[in-house]
Amino acid sequence: MGRYVARRLLQMIPVFLGATFLIFVMVYALGDPVAGLFGDRAPDPATARVLREQFHLDRPVWQQYLLYLGNIFTGDFGTAFDGRPVIELMGAAFPISFRLMLIALAFEMAFGLVLGVVSGLRRGKSIDTSVLLMTLIVIAIPTFVLGTTAQFFLGVELGWMNPAVSPEARFSELIVPGLILALVSLAYVTRLTRTSIAENARADYIRTAVAKGLSRSRVTTRHLLRNSLIPVVTYLGADIGILMAGAIVTERIFNIQGVGYQLYQGILRQNSPTVVGFVTVLVLIFLLANLLVDLLYAVLDPRIRYA
């Protein structure tokens, strides 16, 4: 296991370098960041030259990338165009998005798995049809519609929550935004679990377990569910990064100043150091989440062994 983890960590190095280089090139190819900083006004040539020298924009892209790569290994992700260190923006944004991701992931696992198991065990019955219909409706409705509707009725009409989340973004304030963020993924987890359960329920090892006289609950939890979770865990592992990076719409609706908010502001203002810095950390999160998923495979399926 230790050798496998070490090998996977070594494999992450070229993936990380390739992904971050492509992101770096694409972000800086969007346009002149200095011109974007001044908006519609033309920048003063002397000021523009000083800014380009300060942010190394006067050098070739590959040199800029090498300088940036050397800095991030020392914890320096650069300085945003408003003068704030990017690491400071990360320190404020990532904890908020991490709490939001945990809440959304908890909803996905709690409701998605339960509904998927119930629907898979009752395949073709009325409850299965109802669950499939509900998940299809959730997938069809855009997130911004669900978010604004929940914000209006729960926050404005009923007063059960604050329409906008405070800058501290406490757990209690993130429950409704977390549910809105999780709804689409929850629907996919439900459908994926339902399909996996329905397929494995007809497997030979399930019939053998039933023939041995094992109770239905033991067969379901110990054998059926455990072997059906591998595709679900794969989806949830990829969803961790998506929930943190893809919460732009949800964070905008509820005024949550997390990763999605900072990425939106960075793209809107062509603040390249902010965008590249945040995406670089998100690449690391994706890689570590995939490694964790691979290790969970061996826990869920005893047949999987890593040399």
Side-chain angles (χ1 to χ4, degrees):
M1 179 69 76
R3 293 179 61 184
Y4 173 78
V5 173
R7 187 167 68 249
R8 284 296 307 273
L9 290 175
L10 290 175
Q11 292 173 353
M12 287 182 184
I13 296 176
V15 175
F16 173 77
L17 294 177
T20 52
F21 180 73
L22 288 175
I23 293 165
F24 192 90
V25 171
M26 288 188 292
V27 169
Y28 279 88
L30 292 176
D32 186 3
V34 175
L37 179 63
F38 285 87
D40 296 332
R41 297 174 301 170
D44 177 67
T47 304
R49 184 172 60 254
V50 171
L51 288 174
R52 289 192 176 94
E53 292 176 356
Q54 178 182 351
F55 294 102
H56 307 296
L57 298 175
D58 57 337
R59 304 189 183 189
V61 175
W62 65 271
Q63 288 187 10
Q64 297 179 42
Y65 175 71
L66 290 179
L67 288 171
Y68 179 78
L69 200 63
N71 289 333
I72 65 174
F73 286 128
T74 62
D76 181 12
F77 285 86
T79 304
F81 291 153
D82 59 358
R84 297 180 62 187
V86 176
I87 193 70
E88 181 181 323
L89 298 176
M90 290 180 182
F94 270 100
I96 295 175
S97 291
F98 185 74
R99 291 195 292 271
L100 184 63
M101 181 270 295
L102 287 180
I103 293 173
L105 202 63
F107 277 119
E108 291 181 26
M109 295 176 64
F111 294 99
L113 292 178
V114 171
L115 290 174
V117 170
V118 172
S119 180
L121 292 176
R122 302 290 191 275
R123 186 175 184 178
K125 304 294 180 61
S126 59
I127 188 172
D128 179 35
T129 305
S130 301
V131 169
L132 289 178
L133 181 61
M134 287 190 298
T135 55
L136 185 61
I137 292 174
V138 169
I139 294 172
I141 300 176
T143 302
F144 69 86
V145 175
L146 295 172
T148 51
T149 302
Q151 184 185 49
F152 176 75
F153 282 105
L154 299 180
V156 178
E157 291 292 325
L158 300 177
W160 290 355
M161 55 168 284
N162 292 325
V165 175
S166 66
E168 293 79 15
R170 294 180 291 271
F171 266 104
S172 58
E173 298 178 292
L174 296 176
I175 292 177
V176 174
L179 176 60
I180 298 299
L181 177 62
L183 277 177
V184 175
S185 295
L186 189 154
Y188 283 118
V189 169
T190 300
R191 298 172 76 92
L192 188 60
T193 305
R194 178 248 183 201
T195 302
S196 187
I197 288 289
E199 290 179 355
N200 287 319
R202 299 191 298 268
D204 292 337
Y205 68 90
I206 296 297
R207 287 195 292 267
T208 302
V210 173
K212 286 182 177 181
L214 297 180
S215 64
R216 185 177 183 85
S217 60
R218 183 175 177 83
V219 171
T220 301
T221 56
R222 186 69 179 264
H223 299 281
L224 180 57
L225 181 59
R226 185 172 179 177
N227 287 279
S228 301
L229 280 180
I230 288 183
V232 181
V233 167
T234 304
Y235 178 83
L236 290 175
D239 202 39
I240 291 176
I242 295 173
L243 290 175
M244 293 196 68
I248 295 178
V249 175
T250 306
E251 292 187 359
R252 288 287 295 170
I253 292 173
F254 294 97
N255 193 35
I256 302 172
Q257 299 182 16
V259 174
Y261 174 84
Q262 294 294 344
L263 282 174
Y264 174 80
Q265 294 295 327
I267 295 172
L268 187 66
R269 300 173 182 176
Q270 294 187 7
N271 201 332
S272 304
T274 301
V275 177
V276 174
F278 274 82
V279 176
T280 298
V281 176
L282 290 173
V283 169
L284 287 173
I285 292 174
F286 269 107
L287 293 175
L288 293 175
N290 285 330
L291 175 60
L292 179 61
V293 166
D294 287 345
L295 296 179
L296 283 176
Y297 286 164
V299 176
L300 295 172
D301 192 343
R303 297 171 297 180
I304 300 177
R305 288 291 180 267
Y306 296 120

